[in-house]
């Protein structure tokens, strides 16, 4: 039976575990005060009771671990196979919390707290949504392992998935088909894909988890970032500033002050350069030993991103190009050269035209 979570679960576990204060607070077991108004007994529904115990044993769960609350509205709608799928899926939620030595239960508590807090930022709500959706996908896989067929799971979803958006139900259905048809090998994020997301060609060559990631998350959008994508975007922005400020002639007080608005602790000209020389001029963009150059990495990152993300980086370049009037003869050319390397020219040029026209009209 499945004993590993999805890659997204590991990454979110690692993200919150690195925040020691939050992790310590939520890792303390909470006392469960659960009441069951009508607990299931062997004599109340022997066939259902037996079915639950058979599936529980297949999942390796102890009797005291199996706590299920049935939706009495849904049960009459399910045939026997769909009921087995429903039980297996719900028991898989308990199985999920035991994975990674119970650390996913701590992560689950943190996610639940974030989702219930109206003051949580948009990235936390998106993280909670994706974490829950991937958890449902894991449970669908367990149900498939129990039943050996996908049909009853799909029809069960259509009957029992109240509260889920049609898009999420569709993503689960597609994810189950991809996993069943193409294999189960997990894919870890690479240095060139720091958010663990892939571009439009993800999923080729049997890369099933990357294909499922694309189905579930889509391409990175600026107004739909989870904490991982937000961290990746921030890291790429910082790397862009470091790279852009390599020429000493460009590091004027005005430009550096702008860079500090993005990252107050950024040390222009002192932080490790992605590549290039140390003579105050842009380097030849040769890759580091065993890796791609920074422009190539950012270009790959942007190739799989939504237009909103591409426009964001174009505006960062525009800010840098126009912030210091004393560099007006040099900065736009510097920005355009980098935009060409990044494949951003088609995005940057209309923005320059629009913003400069607006600025001239304002005067």
């Amino acid at each position: 039976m499945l004993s590993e979570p999805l890659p997204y679960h590991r990454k979110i576990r690692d993200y919150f575990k690195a925040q020691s204060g939050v992790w310590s607070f939520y890792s303390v077991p909470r006392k469960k005060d659960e009441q069951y108004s009508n607990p299931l007994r062997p004599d109340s529904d022997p066939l259902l009771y037996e079915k639950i115990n058979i599936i529980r044993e297949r999942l390796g769960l102890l009797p005291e671990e199996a706590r299920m609350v049935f939706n009495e509205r849904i049960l009459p709608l399910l045939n026997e196979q769909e009921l087995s799928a429903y039980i297996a899926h719900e028991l898989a939620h308990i199985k999920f919390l035991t994975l990674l030595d119970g650390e996913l239960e701590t992560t689950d508590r943190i996610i639940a707290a974030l989702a219930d807090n109206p003051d949580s930022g948009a990235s936390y709500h998106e993280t909670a949504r994706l974490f829950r959706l991937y958890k449902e996908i894991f449970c669908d896989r367990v149900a498939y392992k129990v039943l050996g067929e996908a049909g009853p799971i799909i029809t069960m979803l259509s009957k029992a998935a109240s509260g889920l958006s049609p898009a999420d139900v569709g993503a689960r259905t597609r994810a189950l088909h991809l996993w069943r048809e193409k294999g189960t090998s997990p894919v870890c994020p690479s240095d060139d894909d720091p958010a663990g997301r892939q571009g439009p060609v993800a999923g080729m060559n049997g890369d099933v988890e990357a294909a499922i990631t694309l189905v579930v998350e889509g391409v990175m959008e600026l107004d739909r970032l989870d904490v991982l994508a937000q961290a990746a975007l921030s890291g790429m922005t910082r790397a862009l500033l470091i790279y852009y400020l390599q020429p000493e002639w460009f590091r004027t007080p005005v430009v550096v002050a702008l860079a500090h608005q993005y990252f107050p602790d950024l040390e222009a000209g002192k932080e490790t350069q992605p590549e290039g020389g140390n003579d105050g001029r842009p380097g030849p963009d040769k890759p580091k030993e065993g890796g791609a150059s920074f422009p190539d990495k950012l270009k790959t990152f942007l190739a799989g991103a939504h237009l909103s993300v591409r426009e964001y980086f174009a505006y960062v370049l525009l800010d840098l190009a126009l912030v210091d009037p004393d560099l007006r003869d040099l900065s736009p050319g510097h920005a355009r050269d980098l935009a060409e390397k990044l494949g951003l020219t088609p995005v940057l040029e209309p923005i320059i035209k629009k913003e400069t026209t607006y600025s001239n009209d304002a005067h």
Side-chain angles (χ1 to χ4, degrees):
M1 202 55 63
L2 291 171
S3 59
E4 291 293 326
L6 276 70
Y8 189 84
H9 297 131
R10 285 185 176 275
K11 289 182 284 185
I12 295 299
R13 185 277 309 264
D14 294 344
Y15 177 89
F16 286 112
K17 194 173 182 180
Q19 303 177 33
S20 57
V22 173
W23 186 263
S24 297
F25 178 80
Y26 284 99
S27 62
V28 177
R30 302 294 192 266
K31 182 179 179 180
K32 296 182 179 179
D33 184 18
E34 298 174 323
Q35 295 182 350
Y36 302 94
S37 58
N38 188 22
L40 183 66
R41 300 184 305 274
D43 59 343
S44 60
D45 193 331
L47 294 179
L48 180 59
Y49 194 90
E50 181 183 9
K51 187 181 290 287
I52 292 172
N53 273 325
I54 290 173
I55 296 174
R56 174 188 60 75
E57 290 176 358
R58 290 196 62 185
L59 296 183
L61 294 172
L62 300 175
E64 59 271 18
E65 290 180 303
R67 291 287 187 268
M68 294 180 62
V69 179
F70 285 102
N71 187 326
E72 293 182 355
R73 181 188 63 81
I74 293 174
L75 289 182
L77 303 177
L78 306 177
N79 63 34
E80 185 174 350
Q81 283 292 86
E82 291 167 347
L83 179 60
S84 294
Y86 181 65
I87 293 171
H89 178 95
E90 294 305 317
L91 288 178
H93 278 274
I94 302 169
K95 179 75 172 179
F96 176 84
L97 298 179
T98 68
L99 302 180
L100 303 183
D101 297 322
E103 289 184 338
L104 282 186
E105 184 171 8
T106 300
T107 309
D108 199 67
R109 290 195 196 104
I110 296 172
I111 293 296
L114 291 173
D116 292 339
N117 186 351
D119 295 327
S120 293
S123 64
Y124 288 116
H125 285 292
E126 179 65 7
T127 302
R129 185 188 74 83
L130 290 175
F131 188 88
R132 287 175 171 176
L133 182 51
Y134 277 117
K135 181 166 59 173
E136 297 297 331
I137 289 171
F138 169 84
C139 294
D140 291 340
R141 293 181 181 185
V142 173
Y144 177 80
K145 283 290 188 179
V146 170
L147 272 70
E149 57 180 321
I153 301 170
I154 304 303
T155 54
M156 179 272 292
L157 280 177
S158 66
K159 297 177 181 180
S162 59
L164 291 177
S165 70
D168 285 351
V169 175
R172 285 172 61 178
T173 301
R174 180 64 176 149
L176 182 60
H177 280 306
L178 284 170
W179 179 76
R180 179 176 62 90
E181 293 170 2
K182 297 185 179 180
T184 60
S185 299
V187 177
C188 296
S190 66
D191 290 339
D192 292 332
D193 183 25
R197 299 181 178 184
Q198 305 290 331
V201 296
M204 303 299 287
N205 302 320
D207 196 350
V208 64
E209 294 295 352
I212 291 171
T213 296
L214 187 60
V215 167
V216 173
E217 302 176 41
V219 297
M220 183 184 292
E221 295 186 43
L222 202 60
D223 60 352
R224 197 168 57 86
L225 301 174
D226 67 344
V227 293
L228 301 177
Q230 190 175 63
L233 188 71
S234 177
M236 283 294 183
T237 303
R238 189 182 188 105
L240 173 65
L241 293 172
I242 293 170
Y243 181 85
Y244 197 85
L245 294 172
Q246 283 185 14
E248 186 176 358
W249 58 265
F250 195 63
R251 296 196 296 269
T252 68
V254 176
V255 176
V256 171
L258 174 63
H260 285 163
Q261 291 182 26
Y262 286 92
F263 301 98
D265 63 337
L266 190 142
E267 297 185 81
K270 296 182 180 179
E271 296 192 24
T272 303
Q273 296 177 352
E275 71 284 313
N278 297 306
D279 59 354
R281 299 183 180 184
D285 301 334
K286 291 182 180 179
K288 284 184 176 181
E289 186 74 22
S293 66
F294 167 73
D296 288 340
K297 285 188 176 183
L298 182 51
K299 185 175 182 179
T300 300
F301 179 84
L302 292 173
H306 188 264
L307 177 61
S308 59
V309 175
R310 296 166 62 80
E311 288 180 337
Y312 161 78
F313 279 99
Y315 270 106
V316 173
L317 291 177
L318 183 67
D319 283 348
L320 292 166
L322 302 181
V323 66
D324 192 341
D326 293 338
L327 294 176
R328 286 290 176 88
D329 293 336
L330 299 173
S331 295
H334 189 36
R336 283 187 166 98
D337 286 345
L338 184 51
E340 185 175 356
K341 293 177 183 178
L342 300 176
L344 280 179
T345 300
V347 180
L348 178 63
E349 290 301 332
I351 289 176
I352 291 177
K353 183 178 180 180
K354 181 181 73 172
E355 296 298 329
T356 53
T357 300
Y358 174 82
S359 178
N360 291 334
D361 290 344
H363 288 87

